[in-house]
Amino acid sequence: GAGVSQSPSNKVTEKGKDVELRCDPISGHTALYWYRQSLGQGLEFLIYFQGNSAPDKSGLPSDRFSAERTGGSVSTLTIQRTQQEDSAVYLCASSTPTGDQPQHFGDGTRLSIL
Amino acid sequence: KQEVTQIPAALSVPEGENLVLNCSFTDSAIYNLQWFRQDPGKGLTSLLLIQSSQREQTSGRLNASLDKSSGRSTLYIAASQPGDSATYLCAVSGNTGKLIFGQGTTLQVKP
């Protein structure tokens, strides 16, 4: 079946611009996670959605970062006024709500800020 | 604050060798531990998931063990092959499923 789909696969933009990254989870997966992978920091948790519950935003690095999940499915991560330190690979994962199943990851969006 | 450490950072072995990758975590109050594989330019592929109540999981040539009380896990790869070359990541989670990752071990298996 279809896996987690992320778009775009690559994004190059100028410093100060806003960007939107999209994640389409596996059908039926109610849990959705965003992570960031950068050379200096490794893989870091950003935000977590579970069903209709309030999202866990504890990993968002600044108020320039926000995320939405519409209809319990597709999620969009938005970065406003991008900075060079935002350059990284942004990974999305989804899973069933129980903790006994692994998370399934997309291939990520490679974001480069010029 | 939970911290995950993986040793070694990089490993190069000849084909056919058995090898062990190590992972340690500072807070034993975990819900589960997962091992992932990452190929260059790709996302993560789940290899094995061990619940906190379990001691080990096996899949093919892979065996992962968990000693929760000492904060350690190992990933054993038997009869390594060049196709096993990748970065291996260990991650622990609490009951929300939020993963905290180690820095990974980059494995190269030479033909």
Side-chain angles (χ1 to χ4, degrees):
Chain A
V4 177
S5 178
Q6 291 189 246
S7 61
S9 55
N10 286 282
K11 177 73 175 178
V12 180
T13 192
E14 294 179 348
K15 176 182 171 181
K17 300 287 189 183
D18 297 352
V19 295
E20 284 190 354
L21 312 179
R22 177 189 168 104
C23 172
D24 204 336
I26 291 173
S27 177
H29 280 189
T30 58
L32 186 147
Y33 306 81
W34 283 97
Y35 298 89
R36 178 170 72 174
Q37 187 172 33
S38 55
L39 282 175
Q41 300 296 322
L43 260 159
E44 306 171 281
F45 164 79
L46 296 177
I47 188 169
Y48 158 59
F49 295 89
Q50 173 55 57
N52 295 321
S53 302
D56 176 354
K57 305 179 182 179
S58 60
L60 294 179
S62 78
D63 58 8
R64 296 185 295 105
F65 287 71
S66 62
E68 291 185 339
R69 189 177 186 192
T70 55
S73 181
V74 171
S75 177
T76 302
L77 177 68
T78 301
I79 309 173
Q80 296 179 310
R81 306 180 303 281
T82 52
Q83 303 293 314
Q84 288 188 331
E85 62 262 30
D86 299 335
S87 296
V89 176
Y90 289 82
L91 291 162
C92 175
S94 70
S95 72
T96 58
T98 58
D100 60 349
Q101 295 297 318
Q103 294 181 23
H104 297 262
F105 281 76
D107 284 343
T109 293
R110 182 173 298 276
L111 177 64
S112 300
I113 309 299
L114 302 178
Chain B
K1 178 185 173 186
Q2 178 74 270
E3 293 183 358
V4 180
T5 303
Q6 290 187 245
I7 295 173
L11 183 62
S12 180
V13 301
E15 182 177 4
E17 270 203 12
N18 302 324
L19 56 99
V20 175
L21 307 182
N22 296 290
C23 172
S24 62
F25 47 96
T26 54
D27 185 349
S28 63
I30 63 170
Y31 195 75
N32 63 45
L33 182 144
Q34 297 180 53
W35 283 94
F36 293 90
R37 168 185 173 139
Q38 186 174 32
D39 293 287
K42 296 292 186 181
L44 279 63
T45 300
S46 179
L47 298 174
L48 290 164
L49 181 151
I50 312 177
Q51 299 291 346
S52 62
S53 58
Q54 297 174 326
R55 297 285 291 183
E56 66 176 346
Q57 285 286 338
T58 297
S59 176
R61 294 183 293 109
L62 304 179
N63 175 277
S65 68
L66 173 63
D67 184 341
K68 185 180 165 185
S69 60
S70 68
R72 296 181 186 278
S73 175
T74 61
L75 178 66
Y76 176 82
I77 302 177
S80 58
Q81 302 172 358
D84 295 332
S85 298
T87 296
Y88 290 81
L89 292 153
C90 167
V92 298
S93 75
N95 59 4
T96 64
K98 178 170 72 177
L99 293 172
I100 299 172
F101 287 87
Q103 294 291 328
T105 294
T106 298
L107 172 65
Q108 182 183 31
V109 181
K110 297 179 179 178

